[in-house]
Amino acid sequence: MSNFNESASNLTQRLIDQNGPTKAFLIVTPSVVFLYVNGVMIFTLRKKAVFQEMSRYILFGHMLWVDTLNIFMSVVLFICAVSRILIFRNICLALVIAGKALFHVSILNLSLMSLERYVAICFPLRHAEITNFERTHTAICVVWVLGLIQCLSEIIIFYSIDPANTVLNSFCSRIALFKLQIYKSIDIAFTCIFFVLVSFVIIFTYASIATVAKTAACDKLSAKKANKTVLLHLIQLGLGAMSILVGVVQEAIYISIDYITAVNVMYICFVVFVILPKCLSPLIYGMRDQVFFCLFKYYFTFGRDKVKPVIIELHV
Protein backbone atom coordinates (compact mmCIF):
# COMPACT_ATOMS: atom_id res chain seq x y z
CA MET A 1 0.00 0.00 0.00
CA SER A 2 2.84 2.45 0.75
CA ASN A 3 4.08 1.52 -2.71
CA PHE A 4 0.57 2.43 -3.89
CA ASN A 5 0.86 5.83 -2.17
CA GLU A 6 4.34 6.39 -3.55
CA SER A 7 3.26 5.35 -7.03
CA ALA A 8 0.20 7.61 -6.81
CA SER A 9 2.31 10.59 -5.84
CA ASN A 10 5.00 9.93 -8.45
CA LEU A 11 2.41 9.37 -11.15
CA THR A 12 0.22 12.37 -10.43
CA GLN A 13 3.17 14.74 -10.37
CA ARG A 14 3.44 13.95 -14.11
CA LEU A 15 -0.24 13.35 -14.78
CA ILE A 16 -1.27 16.97 -15.19
CA ASP A 17 -1.80 16.69 -18.92
CA GLN A 18 -4.89 17.06 -21.07
CA ASN A 19 -6.15 13.58 -20.07
CA GLY A 20 -5.46 14.02 -16.37
CA PRO A 21 -9.11 14.47 -15.22
CA THR A 22 -10.24 11.48 -17.30
CA LYS A 23 -7.53 9.23 -15.90
CA ALA A 24 -8.26 10.40 -12.37
CA PHE A 25 -11.95 9.56 -12.92
CA LEU A 26 -11.07 6.10 -14.24
CA ILE A 27 -9.03 5.40 -11.09
CA VAL A 28 -11.29 6.91 -8.45
CA THR A 29 -14.57 5.48 -9.80
CA PRO A 30 -13.70 1.75 -9.64
CA SER A 31 -12.03 2.32 -6.28
CA VAL A 32 -15.24 3.80 -4.87
CA VAL A 33 -17.28 0.93 -6.34
CA PHE A 34 -15.03 -1.69 -4.78
CA LEU A 35 -15.05 0.19 -1.48
CA TYR A 36 -18.81 -0.32 -1.50
CA VAL A 37 -18.39 -4.01 -2.45
CA ASN A 38 -15.89 -4.53 0.37
CA GLY A 39 -18.23 -2.73 2.76
CA VAL A 40 -21.08 -5.10 1.87
CA MET A 41 -18.74 -8.07 2.35
CA ILE A 42 -17.75 -6.84 5.80
CA PHE A 43 -21.43 -6.30 6.64
CA THR A 44 -22.20 -9.86 5.48
CA LEU A 45 -19.49 -11.30 7.71
CA ARG A 46 -21.01 -9.48 10.66
CA LYS A 47 -24.49 -10.92 10.07
CA LYS A 48 -23.69 -14.58 10.79
CA ALA A 49 -22.09 -15.73 14.03
CA VAL A 50 -20.32 -18.60 12.27
CA PHE A 51 -18.45 -16.11 10.07
CA GLN A 52 -17.04 -14.55 13.24
CA GLU A 53 -16.03 -17.87 14.77
CA MET A 54 -14.41 -19.88 11.95
CA SER A 55 -10.76 -19.05 11.29
CA ARG A 56 -11.01 -18.88 7.49
CA TYR A 57 -13.77 -16.26 7.68
CA ILE A 58 -11.97 -14.32 10.43
CA LEU A 59 -8.85 -14.13 8.24
CA PHE A 60 -10.94 -13.25 5.19
CA GLY A 61 -12.60 -10.46 7.18
CA HIS A 62 -9.18 -9.23 8.29
CA MET A 63 -8.06 -9.14 4.64
CA LEU A 64 -11.17 -7.17 3.74
CA TRP A 65 -10.55 -4.55 6.42
CA VAL A 66 -6.89 -4.15 5.46
CA ASP A 67 -7.61 -3.88 1.73
CA THR A 68 -10.52 -1.49 2.31
CA LEU A 69 -8.35 0.87 4.36
CA ASN A 70 -5.65 0.40 1.74
CA ILE A 71 -7.88 1.51 -1.13
CA PHE A 72 -9.47 4.37 0.86
CA MET A 73 -6.14 5.90 1.88
CA SER A 74 -4.79 5.52 -1.64
CA VAL A 75 -7.81 7.29 -3.15
CA VAL A 76 -7.46 10.14 -0.64
CA LEU A 77 -3.75 10.58 -1.43
CA PHE A 78 -4.46 10.35 -5.15
CA ILE A 79 -7.12 13.07 -4.94
CA CYS A 80 -4.78 15.27 -2.87
CA ALA A 81 -2.03 14.82 -5.45
CA VAL A 82 -4.31 15.54 -8.43
CA SER A 83 -5.74 18.59 -6.63
CA ARG A 84 -2.21 19.72 -5.73
CA ILE A 85 -3.04 19.80 -2.03
CA LEU A 86 0.16 20.00 0.01
CA ILE A 87 0.19 18.27 3.40
CA PHE A 88 2.04 18.88 6.68
CA ARG A 89 4.99 16.56 7.27
CA ASN A 90 3.51 14.91 10.37
CA ILE A 91 0.20 14.19 8.64
CA CYS A 92 2.02 12.85 5.58
CA LEU A 93 4.23 10.73 7.84
CA ALA A 94 1.16 9.19 9.49
CA LEU A 95 -0.39 8.38 6.10
CA VAL A 96 2.82 6.93 4.63
CA ILE A 97 3.59 4.88 7.75
CA ALA A 98 0.04 3.56 7.93
CA GLY A 99 0.24 2.67 4.24
CA LYS A 100 3.46 0.71 4.70
CA ALA A 101 2.01 -1.11 7.73
CA LEU A 102 -1.14 -2.06 5.81
CA PHE A 103 0.94 -3.27 2.88
CA HIS A 104 3.05 -5.55 5.11
CA VAL A 105 0.05 -6.82 7.07
CA SER A 106 -1.79 -7.60 3.82
CA ILE A 107 1.16 -9.67 2.59
CA LEU A 108 1.63 -11.48 5.92
CA ASN A 109 -2.09 -12.22 6.16
CA LEU A 110 -1.76 -14.33 3.00
CA SER A 111 0.57 -16.66 4.88
CA LEU A 112 -1.98 -17.07 7.68
CA MET A 113 -4.73 -17.90 5.19
CA SER A 114 -2.51 -20.47 3.49
CA LEU A 115 -1.53 -22.04 6.84
CA GLU A 116 -5.20 -22.29 7.80
CA ARG A 117 -5.92 -24.27 4.61
CA TYR A 118 -2.84 -26.41 5.28
CA VAL A 119 -4.10 -27.34 8.75
CA ALA A 120 -7.62 -27.96 7.43
CA ILE A 121 -6.40 -30.52 4.86
CA CYS A 122 -3.33 -32.05 6.54
CA PHE A 123 -4.67 -32.12 10.11
CA PRO A 124 -8.48 -32.20 9.71
CA LEU A 125 -9.13 -33.79 13.12
CA ARG A 126 -7.18 -31.05 14.90
CA HIS A 127 -8.27 -28.17 12.67
CA ALA A 128 -10.87 -26.80 15.08
CA GLU A 129 -8.41 -26.98 17.98
CA ILE A 130 -5.39 -25.46 16.20
CA THR A 131 -7.30 -22.67 14.42
CA ASN A 132 -9.73 -21.74 17.18
CA PHE A 133 -10.97 -18.19 17.79
CA GLU A 134 -8.28 -17.22 20.31
CA ARG A 135 -5.33 -18.57 18.34
CA THR A 136 -6.54 -16.97 15.11
CA HIS A 137 -6.74 -13.54 16.72
CA THR A 138 -3.37 -14.08 18.40
CA ALA A 139 -1.86 -14.84 14.99
CA ILE A 140 -3.41 -11.65 13.59
CA CYS A 141 -1.88 -9.65 16.46
CA VAL A 142 1.54 -11.17 15.71
CA VAL A 143 1.14 -10.18 12.06
CA TRP A 144 0.43 -6.58 13.08
CA VAL A 145 3.45 -6.50 15.39
CA LEU A 146 5.67 -7.72 12.56
CA GLY A 147 4.09 -5.27 10.13
CA LEU A 148 4.77 -2.31 12.45
CA ILE A 149 8.46 -3.02 13.14
CA GLN A 150 9.72 -1.18 10.07
CA CYS A 151 7.27 1.68 10.65
CA LEU A 152 8.42 2.21 14.23
CA SER A 153 12.07 2.22 13.21
CA GLU A 154 11.36 4.80 10.49
CA ILE A 155 9.42 7.00 12.91
CA ILE A 156 12.31 6.96 15.41
CA ILE A 157 14.85 7.87 12.71
CA PHE A 158 12.56 10.53 11.24
CA TYR A 159 11.95 12.39 14.50
CA SER A 160 15.56 12.13 15.59
CA ILE A 161 16.62 13.85 12.34
CA ASP A 162 13.80 16.16 11.26
CA PRO A 163 11.10 16.81 13.89
CA ALA A 164 9.78 20.03 12.29
CA ASN A 165 6.13 19.94 11.26
CA THR A 166 6.38 22.02 8.09
CA VAL A 167 4.34 21.87 4.90
CA LEU A 168 5.85 19.65 2.22
CA ASN A 169 6.86 21.49 -0.94
CA SER A 170 5.90 18.43 -3.01
CA PHE A 171 3.22 15.73 -2.95
CA CYS A 172 3.01 13.39 0.03
CA SER A 173 5.10 10.29 -0.67
CA ARG A 174 7.90 8.20 0.82
CA ILE A 175 10.35 9.88 -1.55
CA ALA A 176 9.38 13.35 -0.31
CA LEU A 177 9.69 12.31 3.35
CA PHE A 178 12.49 9.75 3.48
CA LYS A 179 15.43 11.09 1.49
CA LEU A 180 18.26 9.42 3.40
CA GLN A 181 19.82 6.19 2.18
CA ILE A 182 19.10 4.47 5.50
CA TYR A 183 15.36 4.55 4.75
CA LYS A 184 15.88 2.80 1.42
CA SER A 185 18.08 0.18 3.08
CA ILE A 186 15.49 -0.51 5.79
CA ASP A 187 12.67 -0.71 3.23
CA ILE A 188 14.56 -3.14 0.99
CA ALA A 189 15.58 -5.32 3.94
CA PHE A 190 12.09 -5.67 5.43
CA THR A 191 10.41 -6.09 2.05
CA CYS A 192 12.79 -8.89 1.06
CA ILE A 193 12.40 -10.63 4.43
CA PHE A 194 8.60 -10.54 4.34
CA PHE A 195 8.29 -11.65 0.72
CA VAL A 196 10.77 -14.51 1.17
CA LEU A 197 9.00 -15.62 4.36
CA VAL A 198 5.50 -15.49 2.87
CA SER A 199 6.65 -17.13 -0.38
CA PHE A 200 8.17 -20.00 1.58
CA VAL A 201 4.99 -20.48 3.62
CA ILE A 202 2.70 -20.45 0.58
CA ILE A 203 4.89 -22.79 -1.49
CA PHE A 204 5.29 -25.14 1.49
CA THR A 205 1.54 -25.29 2.13
CA TYR A 206 0.79 -25.78 -1.58
CA ALA A 207 3.27 -28.68 -1.83
CA SER A 208 2.03 -30.23 1.43
CA ILE A 209 -1.62 -30.10 0.38
CA ALA A 210 -0.73 -31.56 -3.03
CA THR A 211 1.13 -34.42 -1.33
CA VAL A 212 -1.71 -35.20 1.07
CA ALA A 213 -4.21 -35.05 -1.80
CA LYS A 214 -2.57 -38.14 -3.31
CA THR A 215 -3.42 -40.27 -0.29
CA ALA A 216 -6.58 -42.36 -0.18
CA ALA A 217 -7.64 -40.95 3.20
CA CYS A 218 -7.86 -37.39 1.91
CA ASP A 219 -11.02 -35.65 0.75
CA LYS A 220 -10.03 -35.05 -2.88
CA LEU A 221 -12.52 -32.27 -3.50
CA SER A 222 -11.55 -30.32 -0.37
CA ALA A 223 -7.85 -30.75 -1.13
CA LYS A 224 -8.35 -29.53 -4.70
CA LYS A 225 -10.24 -26.45 -3.53
CA ALA A 226 -7.62 -25.75 -0.85
CA ASN A 227 -4.79 -25.97 -3.39
CA LYS A 228 -6.60 -23.54 -5.68
CA THR A 229 -7.03 -21.17 -2.75
CA VAL A 230 -3.33 -21.32 -1.86
CA LEU A 231 -2.46 -20.83 -5.54
CA LEU A 232 -4.67 -17.72 -5.52
CA HIS A 233 -2.68 -16.45 -2.52
CA LEU A 234 0.55 -17.01 -4.47
CA ILE A 235 -0.85 -14.96 -7.36
CA GLN A 236 -1.84 -12.22 -4.91
CA LEU A 237 1.68 -12.25 -3.53
CA GLY A 238 3.08 -11.97 -7.04
CA LEU A 239 0.88 -8.96 -7.78
CA GLY A 240 2.05 -7.43 -4.51
CA ALA A 241 5.64 -7.90 -5.60
CA MET A 242 4.87 -6.27 -8.93
CA SER A 243 3.38 -3.24 -7.17
CA ILE A 244 6.73 -2.74 -5.45
CA LEU A 245 8.42 -2.54 -8.84
CA VAL A 246 6.01 0.08 -10.19
CA GLY A 247 8.04 2.96 -8.76
CA VAL A 248 11.26 1.59 -10.24
CA VAL A 249 9.64 1.10 -13.64
CA GLN A 250 8.22 4.62 -13.57
CA GLU A 251 11.60 6.21 -12.94
CA ALA A 252 13.26 4.11 -15.65
CA ILE A 253 10.73 4.82 -18.40
CA TYR A 254 10.46 8.51 -17.50
CA ILE A 255 14.18 8.90 -18.15
CA SER A 256 14.43 6.71 -21.25
CA ILE A 257 11.33 7.59 -23.32
CA ASP A 258 9.32 10.68 -24.23
CA TYR A 259 7.04 12.39 -21.73
CA ILE A 260 3.61 11.48 -23.16
CA THR A 261 4.50 7.81 -23.63
CA ALA A 262 5.99 7.70 -20.12
CA VAL A 263 2.80 9.11 -18.60
CA ASN A 264 0.62 6.57 -20.44
CA VAL A 265 2.84 3.62 -19.48
CA MET A 266 2.95 4.76 -15.83
CA TYR A 267 -0.82 5.10 -15.77
CA ILE A 268 -1.27 1.55 -17.10
CA CYS A 269 1.20 0.16 -14.53
CA PHE A 270 -0.57 2.07 -11.79
CA VAL A 271 -4.01 0.66 -12.69
CA VAL A 272 -2.96 -2.92 -13.52
CA PHE A 273 -0.44 -3.62 -10.75
CA VAL A 274 -1.71 -1.37 -7.96
CA ILE A 275 -5.43 -0.58 -8.26
CA LEU A 276 -6.89 -3.79 -9.69
CA PRO A 277 -5.18 -6.37 -7.40
CA LYS A 278 -6.41 -4.62 -4.27
CA CYS A 279 -9.91 -4.26 -5.68
CA LEU A 280 -10.36 -7.71 -7.19
CA SER A 281 -8.64 -10.02 -4.68
CA PRO A 282 -11.35 -9.86 -1.96
CA LEU A 283 -14.12 -10.16 -4.56
CA ILE A 284 -12.58 -13.25 -6.20
CA TYR A 285 -11.91 -14.86 -2.85
CA GLY A 286 -15.44 -14.17 -1.62
CA MET A 287 -17.11 -15.47 -4.79
CA ARG A 288 -15.32 -18.82 -4.45
CA ASP A 289 -17.08 -19.51 -1.14
CA GLN A 290 -20.65 -20.48 -2.07
CA VAL A 291 -22.07 -20.03 1.43
CA PHE A 292 -20.63 -16.54 1.82
CA PHE A 293 -21.36 -15.47 -1.75
CA CYS A 294 -25.00 -16.48 -1.45
CA LEU A 295 -25.51 -14.15 1.51
CA PHE A 296 -23.31 -11.45 0.01
CA LYS A 297 -25.46 -11.38 -3.14
CA TYR A 298 -28.58 -11.09 -0.98
CA TYR A 299 -27.28 -8.03 0.91
CA PHE A 300 -25.63 -6.52 -2.18
CA THR A 301 -29.02 -6.45 -3.95
CA PHE A 302 -30.76 -5.10 -0.81
CA GLY A 303 -32.68 -8.34 -0.34
CA ARG A 304 -34.10 -8.44 -3.87
CA ASP A 305 -32.23 -11.64 -4.64
CA LYS A 306 -34.11 -14.33 -2.74
CA VAL A 307 -31.88 -16.70 -0.80
CA LYS A 308 -32.84 -20.09 0.51
CA PRO A 309 -32.01 -20.91 4.14
CA VAL A 310 -28.25 -21.40 4.36
CA ILE A 311 -26.72 -24.41 6.06
CA ILE A 312 -23.19 -23.72 7.18
CA GLU A 313 -20.94 -26.75 7.03
CA LEU A 314 -18.45 -26.66 9.87
CA HIS A 315 -15.83 -28.73 8.08
CA VAL A 316 -13.14 -27.83 5.56
Side-chain angles (χ1 to χ4, degrees):
M1 155 61 189
S2 70
N3 298 283
F4 186 107
N5 301 339
E6 185 175 338
S7 301
S9 300
N10 291 337
L11 175 64
T12 49
Q13 290 181 57
R14 306 181 180 101
L15 199 64
I16 309 302
D17 63 352
Q18 58 182 358
N19 295 322
T22 301
K23 292 177 180 178
F25 174 80
L26 292 176
I27 286 178
V28 173
T29 301
S31 298
V32 171
V33 171
F34 281 104
L35 280 174
Y36 170 71
V37 171
N38 284 7
V40 175
M41 285 187 171
I42 292 172
F43 177 80
T44 303
L45 289 172
R46 301 293 299 176
K47 295 301 290 184
K48 290 289 183 180
V50 69
F51 290 155
Q52 303 174 49
E53 296 170 357
M54 294 180 65
S55 57
R56 61 175 169 177
Y57 294 115
I58 294 174
L59 294 174
F60 175 49
H62 182 236
M63 181 182 74
L64 280 174
W65 275 110
V66 171
D67 285 345
T68 299
L69 291 173
N70 222 319
I71 296 172
F72 176 77
M73 291 180 60
S74 300
V75 170
V76 170
L77 284 176
F78 186 86
I79 292 174
C80 289
V82 169
S83 304
R84 302 192 182 193
I85 299 175
L86 302 182
I87 303 176
F88 281 100
R89 283 183 182 274
N90 285 347
I91 297 176
C92 181
L93 176 66
L95 294 174
V96 168
I97 289 296
K100 174 59 73 173
L102 288 170
F103 177 74
H104 282 166
V105 169
S106 178
I107 295 299
L108 292 170
N109 192 66
L110 294 177
S111 64
L112 289 184
M113 298 176 80
S114 297
L115 286 172
E116 188 276 330
R117 290 292 82 199
Y118 164 74
V119 173
I121 299 301
C122 299
F123 304 98
L125 299 180
R126 299 188 59 197
H127 177 251
E129 174 191 352
I130 296 175
T131 62
N132 59 33
F133 181 88
E134 292 77 12
R135 289 182 177 177
T136 301
H137 280 84
T138 299
I140 291 175
C141 290
V142 171
V143 161
W144 273 97
V145 170
L146 293 175
L148 289 171
I149 293 177
Q150 176 185 344
C151 301
L152 293 175
S153 63
E154 289 178 337
I155 289 175
I156 293 172
I157 296 173
F158 181 84
Y159 280 112
S160 63
I161 295 174
D162 186 12
N165 186 24
T166 57
V167 177
L168 291 173
N169 56 8
S170 61
F171 299 113
C172 177
S173 68
R174 289 184 63 84
I175 293 177
L177 277 178
F178 304 141
K179 298 179 180 180
L180 298 180
Q181 183 60 39
I182 187 173
Y183 292 117
K184 294 182 180 179
S185 300
I186 292 174
D187 193 28
I188 292 173
F190 275 96
T191 299
C192 290
I193 290 172
F194 286 146
F195 269 91
V196 170
L197 174 63
V198 176
S199 298
F200 173 79
V201 171
I202 292 178
I203 294 173
F204 168 77
T205 54
Y206 184 86
S208 300
I209 293 173
T211 302
V212 173
K214 296 179 181 179
T215 64
C218 178
D219 183 340
K220 305 295 184 182
L221 180 60
S222 295
K224 185 178 180 180
K225 291 178 63 177
N227 247 354
K228 287 183 177 180
T229 300
V230 175
L231 185 60
L232 174 61
H233 296 163
L234 187 61
I235 295 173
Q236 290 175 284
L237 182 66
L239 292 173
M242 289 180 183
S243 69
I244 292 176
L245 300 176
V246 169
V248 178
V249 172
Q250 287 177 355
E251 293 298 327
I253 63 176
Y254 185 67
I255 294 173
S256 60
I257 61 180
D258 65 275
Y259 172 77
I260 298 299
T261 304
V263 168
N264 292 331
V265 173
M266 287 187 291
Y267 172 76
I268 293 172
C269 290
F270 183 69
V271 173
V272 173
F273 298 124
V274 181
I275 287 277
L276 291 182
K278 288 297 179 187
C279 291
L280 294 178
S281 291
L283 183 61
I284 294 172
Y285 193 88
M287 289 177 65
R288 294 182 67 250
D289 189 303
Q290 292 301 314
V291 173
F292 173 81
F293 182 67
C294 184
L295 290 176
F296 164 73
K297 187 165 62 172
Y298 174 79
Y299 292 119
F300 185 79
T301 58
F302 301 98
R304 294 175 184 174
D305 183 74
K306 295 185 178 181
V307 181
K308 296 180 180 180
V310 177
I311 300 175
I312 303 291
E313 296 183 3
L314 298 178
H315 53 71
V316 298

